[in-house]
Amino acid sequence: MSHAVVFEGVRKAYGETVVIEDLNLNIPEGNIVVFVGPSGCGKTTTMKMINRLIEPTKGRVLVNGKDITKMNPVDLRRGIGYVIQQVGLFPHMTIAENVSLVPRLQGGKSAMDVNKVDLLLETVGLDPNLYRDRYPGELSGGQQQRVGVARALMSDPPIILMDEPFSALDPITREGLQDELIRLNQELHKTIIFVTHDMDEALKIADQIIVMQGGQVIQQATPDQILRRPANEFVRDFIGEKRLSSHQSWVVEDVMLRSPVKMSPKKGLAEAVETMHRKRVTGVVVTDPSGKYLGIANTADIYDRYQEESLSLGEVMRTDAVTVRAGTPLTEAISLVQEAPYGYVPVVDSQGKLAGLLTRASLVDVLAKPYLEEVSAGA
């Protein structure tokens, strides 16, 4: 994996006050990498050293393999997009003028590429015909942030720095912009370095999270790795106990539905449809009179041959569906549920009898339980 940004033994001090101490860090190319930590931990200072808004006291910062101290700061910054919380749009300029600011500074008014401006506005979810000629004061906070992202993308930089860009927005707008950022980077494959103090935001958008404390990196890992194996008590406390409810020792019986809708293989297809409608399910599990699992039948399986009145459920059911044995650790079964075409997996005991059904919905209900209990307690 190539690295877009590398810190080598970086230190930053203001007189006797050390903000960053011996920072060694590799930021992979094409990822959303989120710096997270409490106020004063050094995350914003670290990010600002990438585009030389802050100069390191000691050590080297490499951007795309080049020592940034050997680069012209203006040239460096033109190759790095920058989005901040306050957006920084110029109120007397139109949205098109704001988006095209950098090329116009370089080449004058003639450097405005209206087609590219329109494309970028569409990319960030703004209709150019509606917004191109408006002024920032006519836009909501969320719309202004979208313009800020479009401006950062204008020069097609490989790296974009984002310093708490969504923190001043209301929760619904913020969530929408987080979704937009994830979608954008799936299309554009930029290296996005994002600073936040909000662990929920970091877990949602990051490919990698860098947890900082006291000017040092405490842990760098994927969101899943951090949730499963926090490096120390600081990380554990910062993540919060509600996210660390351990399911590592659980087995499928702790989660499965114990009374799934089941039917005899002798039942007709019209009976199966009526049962699914009444029970509000999209499929049934087929068992023999002793409860032995035989197969599953989904609405698609039934409707494909519904006109053949002589057919029974046993003749259209699928016998090749994946099953899981009772006692299987939940961690091993989750991927089976995720990959199951119908969204559920039958659980069978050692005698082959149906014990229950593992569904995506049942997994969500259990994993969300700590959050629901917290909300209930605070109500």
Side-chain angles (χ1 to χ4, degrees):
M1 179 183 290
S2 57
H3 297 114
V5 181
V6 177
F7 289 80
E8 296 180 347
V10 171
R11 185 176 194 265
K12 180 61 186 176
Y14 296 95
E16 298 296 315
T17 304
V18 177
V19 181
I20 302 293
E21 183 65 85
D22 193 29
L23 180 63
N24 293 285
L25 185 62
N26 295 324
I27 295 177
E29 189 177 288
N31 281 204
I32 299 177
V33 178
V34 179
F35 283 87
V36 67
S39 297
C41 70
K43 55 188 185 294
T44 296
T45 299
T46 299
M47 188 178 75
K48 287 183 175 180
M49 285 193 283
I50 295 170
N51 62 356
R52 293 185 67 182
L53 290 177
I54 294 176
E55 298 281 0
T57 306
K58 179 187 174 185
R60 294 200 312 164
V61 180
L62 306 177
V63 171
N64 296 322
K66 298 178 181 178
D67 185 339
I68 62 172
T69 60
K70 296 179 169 57
M71 300 174 66
N72 180 298
V74 175
D75 292 338
L76 171 70
R77 289 169 196 153
R78 282 176 180 162
I80 298 176
Y82 192 38
V83 185
I84 58 175
Q85 179 182 327
Q86 295 81 13
V87 189
L89 301 180
F90 290 96
H92 60 284
M93 294 182 183
T94 65
I95 298 309
E97 289 169 338
N98 269 284
V99 171
S100 62
L101 180 63
V102 172
R104 289 190 304 109
L105 287 173
Q106 292 174 295
K109 290 185 178 181
S110 62
M112 181 189 287
D113 184 338
V114 176
N115 290 332
K116 187 169 184 181
V117 169
D118 286 357
L119 179 62
L120 286 172
L121 288 176
E122 288 177 352
T123 300
V124 298
L126 295 175
D127 183 343
N129 293 321
L130 289 177
Y131 294 98
R132 183 196 310 117
D133 299 319
R134 291 189 184 182
Y135 289 87
E138 301 174 78
L139 274 59
S140 69
Q143 290 166 343
Q144 289 185 35
Q145 276 295 8
R146 289 173 186 265
V147 174
V149 173
R151 182 175 63 186
L153 292 168
M154 186 67 188
S155 56
D156 197 24
I159 298 171
I160 299 174
L161 308 181
M162 305 187 80
D163 191 2
E164 304 228 30
F166 308 147
S167 60
L169 303 173
D170 66 87
I172 294 175
T173 302
R174 185 175 188 176
E175 181 126 348
L177 283 171
Q178 290 166 352
D179 292 336
E180 192 75 6
L181 183 66
I182 295 167
R183 182 193 66 78
L184 269 175
N185 215 43
Q186 288 172 344
E187 290 182 9
L188 303 176
H189 307 292
K190 302 293 184 183
T191 302
I192 296 177
I193 300 167
F194 192 108
V195 164
T196 183
H197 62 276
D198 184 337
M199 197 67 192
D200 282 324
E201 185 165 64
L203 289 167
K204 177 176 180 178
I205 68 173
D207 296 306
Q208 284 202 9
I209 294 175
I210 297 171
V211 184
M212 294 191 71
Q213 179 192 26
Q216 296 184 319
V217 172
I218 306 302
Q219 187 168 8
Q220 178 178 4
T222 66
D224 192 69
Q225 289 167 340
I226 283 180
L227 286 171
R228 290 177 184 275
R229 292 181 290 278
N232 58 19
E233 278 305 306
F234 170 79
V235 178
R236 175 177 285 274
D237 290 343
F238 197 77
I239 292 172
E241 286 300 322
K242 69 177 183 180
R243 301 189 190 90
L244 292 172
S245 175
S246 176
H247 307 95
Q248 301 301 306
S249 61
W250 289 16
V251 293
V252 291
E253 291 94 315
D254 295 319
V255 175
M256 70 183 186
L257 300 179
R258 294 185 176 274
S259 300
V261 179
K262 54 187 179 181
M263 294 186 72
S264 163
K266 295 180 181 180
K267 292 291 185 180
L269 302 190
E271 291 178 275
V273 171
E274 192 280 329
T275 299
M276 287 190 287
H277 177 72
R278 179 163 38 87
K279 297 286 189 177
R280 297 189 179 278
V281 294
T282 59
V284 294
V285 185
V286 184
T287 62
D288 71 8
S290 70
K292 184 178 180 181
Y293 167 78
L294 299 176
I296 60 174
N298 195 268
T299 49
D301 303 320
I302 294 170
Y303 276 110
D304 280 347
R305 305 188 68 183
Y306 187 73
Q307 300 305 321
E308 300 178 52
E309 296 183 15
S310 63
L311 290 179
S312 67
L313 204 53
E315 292 172 288
V316 301
M317 69 181 183
R318 290 177 179 257
T319 58
D320 59 351
V322 172
T323 61
V324 63
R325 284 285 292 272
T328 300
L330 181 59
T331 51
E332 294 178 19
I334 287 175
S335 62
L336 298 177
V337 180
Q338 290 172 331
E339 294 164 9
Y342 300 145
Y344 55 82
V345 173
V347 180
V348 296
D349 64 18
S350 57
Q351 280 77 48
K353 292 185 177 181
L354 180 69
L357 203 65
L358 199 58
T359 72
R360 291 172 187 165
S362 64
L363 286 175
V364 170
D365 287 344
V366 171
L367 294 171
K369 189 177 179 182
Y371 295 90
L372 298 176
E373 287 175 346
E374 183 177 269
V375 170
S376 177

